[in-house]
């Protein structure tokens, strides 16, 4: 019998309660050493940042105002045709090797759009009277281990702000403050602390402070290249921003500095994971999914989004125990799906605030 139905008896109500308990227990059990959290654009959209669909619409509007070479205009026209015929931005940009001048325009427009929407989102997180749900979730995960890996395909800095607001340290592979230099070793060493025992024969022990290792394989709005080096800063500078736009070019650019180290750490984290939590991630990025696909069938996994994409549902099928959680608009709650069966839960657990308070008690 399908569990996705309106309850009509006490017997069914009991069954629903037991299944809900299973969902809650499964989510709680993810928080162990080796948990990897993958965050997609859905998590940022909740704070007003543009979705991939909105980015596509704004690119269609703004790119023609830039000066492009004739070949680039032809490539862009083909991309627009795909977008208007229903392809998502990733698919529409994928088939063509995008000329350098067009790639720079697309990257610049995306950077301006995301950056403009990011500022009020950052203010909202920092001025809130309580820590955000994501910040609390990071702290909760660090109770079981000294660090957790967080991977994001987003360019914005919201995860860094969520962590800072919750007093959680972040290793981004850049060390320093006003100007951060790309150096994974020194970035890691900034998190070390020493403790010792007094008296004769005293010893000193060096450990890492609890932190998240944040990998951003597609770059970040605060990464720049200039003067023969790569650096991170929150200051406004005219150097070249280091982000990779969606589409086929990222397979070429993703193996360059500073992306290769980020991609390598993300892939290693997935390979060594003991559990995975996906937040607002659409499973439309083949770069990362080369490592995600085999691991999904091996470890406990939960996919949380306002609406799970078709690709997300395909990944759910790789593991009969994996659970997908998305909005149920009819009830205001959520639909949880496992192994082809679904049930409605009264709480909107697709929302990280609800998931954190209702399931994790944080």
């Amino acid at each position: 019998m399908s569990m996705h139905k309106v309850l009509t008896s006490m017997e069914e109500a009991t069954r629903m309660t037991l299944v809900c308990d299973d969902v809650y227990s499964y989510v709680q059990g993810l928080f162990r050493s080796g948990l990897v959290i993958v965050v997609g654009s859905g998590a940022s959209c909740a704070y007003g940042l543009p979705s991939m669909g909105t980015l596509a619409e704004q690119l269609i509007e703004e790119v023609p105002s830039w000066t492009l070479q004739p070949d680039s205009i032809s490539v862009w026209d083909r991309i627009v045709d795909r977008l208007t015929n229903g392809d998502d931005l990733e698919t529409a940009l994928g088939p063509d090797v995008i000329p350098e001048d067009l790639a720079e325009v697309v990257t610049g427009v995306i950077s301006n759009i995301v950056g403009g929407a990011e500022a009020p989102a950052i203010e909202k997180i920092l001025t809130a009277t309580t820590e955000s749900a994501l910040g609390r979730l990071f702290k909760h995960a660090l109770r079981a281990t000294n660090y957790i890996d967080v991977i994001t395909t987003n360019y914005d800095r919201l995860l860094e702000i969520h962590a800072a607001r919750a007093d959680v340290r972040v290793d981004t592979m850049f060390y320093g403050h006003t100007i951060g230099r790309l150096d994974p070793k020194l970035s890691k060493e900034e998190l070390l602390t020493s403790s010792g025992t007094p008296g004769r024969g005293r010893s000193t022990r060096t450990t890492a402070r609890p932190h998240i290792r944040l990998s951003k394989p597609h770059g970040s709005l605060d990464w720049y290249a200039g003067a023969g080096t790569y650096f991170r800063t929150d200051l406004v500078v005219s150097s070249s921003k280091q982000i990779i736009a969606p589409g086929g070019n990222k397979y070429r650019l993703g193996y360059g500095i500073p992306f290769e180290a980020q991609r390598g750490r993300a892939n290693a984290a997935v390979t060594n994971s003991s559990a995975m939590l996906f937040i607002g991630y659409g499973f439309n990025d083949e770069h990362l999914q080369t490592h995600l696909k085999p691991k999904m069938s091996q470890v406990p996994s939960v996919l949380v989004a306002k609406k799970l994409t078709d690709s997300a549902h395909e990944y759910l099928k790789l593991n009969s125990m994996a659970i997908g959680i998305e909005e149920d608009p009819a009830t205001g709650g959520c639909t949880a799906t496992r192994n082809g069966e679904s049930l409605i839960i009264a709480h909107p657990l697709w929302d990280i605030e609800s998931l954190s308070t209702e399931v994790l008690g944080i």
Side-chain angles (χ1 to χ4, degrees), residues 225-236:
T229 189
Y230 297 89
F231 59 95
R232 182 209 61 77
T233 182
D234 294 324
L235 302 174
V236 178

Side-chain angles (χ1 to χ4, degrees), residues 63-73 76 101-103 105-106:
V63 168
S65 65
W66 292 72
T67 301
L68 295 170
Q69 296 296 320
D71 288 349
S72 297
I73 294 173
W76 179 246
D101 63 328
L102 177 58
V105 168
V106 170

Side-chain angles (χ1 to χ4, degrees), residues 179-208:
I179 301 293
R181 302 287 184 176
L182 177 63
D183 191 312
K185 182 175 180 291
L186 291 179
S187 178
K188 183 176 180 179
E189 288 178 356
E190 282 192 329
L191 296 162
L192 297 179
T193 182
S194 298
S195 60
T197 55
R200 297 178 61 183
R202 65 185 181 184
S203 61
T204 301
R205 181 168 175 257
T206 301
T207 57

Side-chain angles (χ1 to χ4, degrees), residues 55 58-59 62-63 66 104-114:
L55 280 179
Q58 294 187 271
L59 283 168
E62 295 187 30
V63 168
W66 292 72
E104 289 181 0
V105 168
V106 170
T107 300
V109 172
I110 289 176
S111 175
N112 291 339
I113 295 168
V114 175

Side-chain angles (χ1 to χ4, degrees), residues 40-322:
S41 60
S44 294
C45 290
Y47 281 84
L49 269 73
S51 65
M52 294 295 278
T54 300
L55 280 179
E57 292 170 1
Q58 294 187 271
L59 283 168
I60 290 172
E61 181 179 340
E62 295 187 30
V63 168
S65 65
W66 292 72
T67 301
L68 295 170
Q69 296 296 320
D71 288 349
S72 297
I73 294 173
S74 297
V75 171
W76 179 246
D77 287 341
R78 291 198 297 271
I79 292 169
V80 171
D81 286 342
R82 297 186 198 113
L83 290 172
T84 54
N85 286 327
D87 282 357
D88 60 64
L89 186 58
E90 184 78 33
T91 303
L93 289 169
D96 292 297
V97 175
I98 301 177
E100 186 173 343
D101 63 328
L102 177 58
E104 289 181 0
V105 168
V106 170
T107 300
V109 172
I110 289 176
S111 175
N112 291 339
I113 295 168
V114 175
E118 182 194 57
I122 289 174
E123 182 176 0
K124 180 178 179 180
I125 296 167
L126 291 179
T127 59
T129 56
T130 59
E131 296 167 356
S132 70
L134 272 172
R136 303 197 311 272
L137 188 144
F138 292 154
K139 290 172 73 172
H140 181 72
L142 289 170
R143 293 176 185 174
T145 183
N146 214 32
Y147 73 87
I148 56 169
D149 278 288
V150 179
I151 303 167
T152 184
T153 51
N154 300 343
Y155 311 125
D156 62 70
R157 278 84 51 97
L158 296 194
L159 292 183
E160 294 93 314
I161 302 301
H162 285 298
R165 178 68 177 81
D167 199 24
V168 172
R169 293 175 173 84
V170 182
D171 172 11
T172 63
M173 292 194 182
F174 290 81
Y175 78 96
H177 298 282
T178 304
I179 301 293
R181 302 287 184 176
L182 177 63
D183 191 312
K185 182 175 180 291
L186 291 179
S187 178
K188 183 176 180 179
E189 288 178 356
E190 282 192 329
L191 296 162
L192 297 179
T193 182
S194 298
S195 60
T197 55
R200 297 178 61 183
R202 65 185 181 184
S203 61
T204 301
R205 181 168 175 257
T206 301
T207 57
R209 295 181 174 91
H211 64 282
I212 63 173
R213 301 199 312 180
L214 180 63
S215 299
K216 304 180 80 170
H218 294 171
S220 183
L221 291 181
D222 56 357
W223 296 0
Y224 296 90
T229 189
Y230 297 89
F231 59 95
R232 182 209 61 77
T233 182
D234 294 324
L235 302 174
V236 178
V237 296
S238 59
S239 297
S240 175
K241 271 188 171 35
Q242 295 299 288
I243 67 172
I244 302 176
N249 275 27
K250 70 184 174 190
Y251 294 95
R252 173 175 57 84
L253 298 173
Y255 288 88
I257 300 172
F259 309 106
E260 184 173 16
Q262 300 278 332
R263 179 183 52 80
R265 184 163 77 175
N267 291 342
V270 171
T271 298
N272 297 320
S273 64
S274 66
M276 292 191 288
L277 173 62
F278 299 89
I279 301 173
Y281 181 66
F283 289 86
N284 291 316
D285 182 83
E286 292 297 331
H287 223 170
L288 182 58
Q289 276 141 229
T290 300
H291 291 261
L292 285 178
K293 195 165 190 176
K295 200 66 180 183
M296 275 288 295
S297 63
Q298 301 172 5
V299 300
S301 303
V302 172
L303 288 56
V304 181
K306 184 172 185 179
K307 181 174 176 54
L308 296 174
T309 63
D310 291 342
S311 295
H313 279 289
E314 288 301 311
Y315 270 76
L316 274 178
K317 296 175 184 177
L318 298 174
N319 186 336
S320 63
M321 295 302 293

Side-chain angles (χ1 to χ4, degrees), residues 4-25:
H4 192 187
K5 61 183 291 186
V6 177
L7 301 180
T8 58
S9 69
M10 182 60 70
E11 180 181 354
E12 286 183 334
T14 301
R15 171 177 287 191
M16 179 64 83
T17 299
L18 291 172
V19 172
C20 288
D21 286 347
D22 288 345
V23 172
Y24 280 44
S25 297

